Amino acid sequence: GGTAVTGVGTIKDDGTGSIFTAANTTGTPDTPTAPLDDDRPLTVNNLTVNEGSPYAVFTVTGATDQFVKLTTANGTAGSADYG
């Protein structure tokens, strides 16, 4: 009796398996549009900042058709990043 349950899950970063996005409630895996595991390296050039502009410009370089998702986060700049 009782309601205690124990389970084990394993996450493997080897490009195998299926993708189930949060919006998928069908029980059928989503069809990925990119490789499941893309550990190819990316490079980012030196950041260029024009002090008269509100933008910073940089180039991210990777392999053809490589999936890249970039995000920014508030509060991550240190005092050397602004003044």
Side-chain angles (χ1 to χ4, degrees):
T3 58
V5 177
T6 301
V8 176
T10 303
I11 298 173
K12 295 172 69 174
D13 184 19
D14 64 359
T16 64
S18 301
I19 294 176
F20 293 86
T21 59
N24 180 344
T25 59
T26 67
T28 303
D30 294 304
T31 303
T33 57
L36 294 178
D37 183 29
D38 197 344
D39 291 336
R40 294 174 288 181
L42 296 170
T43 59
V44 180
N45 73 336
N46 290 330
L47 185 67
T48 302
V49 177
N50 178 338
E51 299 299 332
S53 170
Y55 304 104
V57 178
F58 60 95
T59 301
V60 177
T61 305
T64 301
D65 294 328
Q66 184 175 7
F67 177 75
V68 177
K69 182 175 181 180
L70 303 174
T71 60
T72 58
N74 288 334
T76 59
S79 61
D81 297 322
Y82 59 88

